[in-house]
Amino acid sequence: MNLFEINYLDKLSALLKEAFKFKKYKAMPPALAVFVGILMLPFVLASFAVAATFAFLAFAFAVFTSPVKFLHTLVNKEGKDVLHATQFIVYLISWPFIFLCYSIMAFLLLLIIPAYAALSILLYVWSFGGFKFHLFMTESDNISITVEKKYMAIPLVYVIVGFILVAIIPFVHWLIGYSIEAWNSWEAADIYTQLFPFTIYPSYIGIHALFSFVYSLVCSPFPKNSAKNEVDTTDSEAQ
C-alpha cells in the first residue's frame, strides 16, 4: 500500500466509527456501562485530543497531496512532449518545488503514523476492545468485530476497583492527612484540603489510568462467543 495514496481522513472516520459503535458497552447492563464510561473518561478525552491532532495532520497532508500529484503528472507529460534541452529546463525549474512538497508530505507521515497508532490504542482501551487491535493503517481494512454475548463480571470488577482507586483510597488518604494537619492547626488542614486535588490526587488518577490500560487490554477478548455462534457465523459467511 502506497502511503502517499491513502486517504487518512477516511481512515480516521472508519476507526472512530468502529469505536463509537460501543459494541462491548452494549453487551453490559446499561447502568454498568455508564459507570465504565465515566471511569474511562481520561482515555476518552485523550483520544479526542489525538483525533483532533490526527485530523489536522491528515487535512494538511491532503492539502499538499492534490496539487503535488497534479503538478507531478503535468511535468511528466510536458517533459515527454518536448526536446531534451527543454526537458532539462522543465525538470530543473519544477523538480525542486515538487521535491520540497514531497519532503513536507513525508515529514507529515512521520507524525501521522504514530498519531494513528496512539489513537488506535486509546480507542481500543476505552472501547474495551470494540474493534480488532491494530497499530498501522495498512491493517485497518477489516477491523470490525461481532459481539453476540452479554457479560457483567469483567466490567463489574473494573468498576469496583476503579472507584476504589479514584474515590475510596484517595478519600481515606485525604482524611488521614487532614486529621494530622488539623492536629497541628485548622489553617494547615484547610491548606492541605485545597492542595490535595492538585498534588496528591493526580497520582491516583495515574494509577487508575495504568490499571484501566492493563485491565482493558487483558480483558478485551471477552465476552467470547460460544462455539455454536462461531460456527453459525462461519457458515453464514460461507453462504
Side-chain angles (χ1 to χ4, degrees), residues 74-76 78-79 82 85-96:
L74 180 64
V75 168
N76 283 336
E78 293 298 327
V82 298
T86 310
Q87 275 185 350
F88 175 77
I89 296 175
V90 170
Y91 288 128
L92 180 65
I93 295 174
S94 60
W95 268 105

Side-chain angles (χ1 to χ4, degrees), residues 103-152:
S103 298
I104 294 174
M105 291 166 62
F107 173 74
L108 288 174
L109 282 178
L110 292 177
L111 302 176
I112 287 174
I113 292 173
Y116 183 90
L119 179 61
S120 181
I121 292 173
L122 290 170
L123 293 176
Y124 189 83
V125 168
W126 70 249
S127 69
F128 258 69
F131 53 88
K132 291 181 182 178
F133 181 77
H134 66 290
L135 293 176
F136 305 105
M137 283 164 282
T138 53
E139 305 170 350
S140 64
D141 291 337
N142 183 22
I143 60 174
S144 180
I145 65 170
T146 300
V147 181
E148 298 177 351
K149 295 181 66 178
K150 302 291 185 179
Y151 71 148
M152 186 175 73

Side-chain angles (χ1 to χ4, degrees), residues 31-84:
L32 199 57
V34 171
F35 286 119
V36 170
I38 293 173
L39 289 171
M40 281 292 179
L41 195 58
F43 287 94
V44 175
L45 296 177
S47 67
F48 284 164
V50 176
T53 302
F54 183 91
F56 173 78
L57 295 172
F59 178 77
F61 186 87
V63 168
F64 276 96
T65 299
S66 297
V68 168
K69 286 182 178 179
F70 173 77
L71 183 59
H72 193 173
T73 303
L74 180 64
V75 168
N76 283 336
K77 181 180 179 181
E78 293 298 327
K80 293 176 182 178
D81 295 339
V82 298
L83 299 176
H84 291 294

Side-chain angles (χ1 to χ4, degrees), residues 151-212:
Y151 71 148
M152 186 175 73
I154 289 175
L156 180 61
V157 170
Y158 172 74
V159 168
I160 292 173
V161 176
F163 274 105
I164 288 174
L165 290 175
V166 301
I168 297 177
I169 295 178
F171 175 75
V172 172
H173 189 151
W174 168 82
L175 186 61
I176 293 173
Y178 183 85
S179 300
I180 294 173
E181 295 295 334
W183 183 265
N184 298 320
S185 71
W186 290 109
E187 183 178 353
D190 290 339
I191 294 174
Y192 176 82
T193 299
Q194 294 173 10
L195 294 179
F196 187 86
F198 307 101
T199 55
I200 300 174
Y201 189 68
S203 62
Y204 287 104
I205 296 296
I207 295 172
H208 165 67
L210 180 61
F211 163 73
S212 300

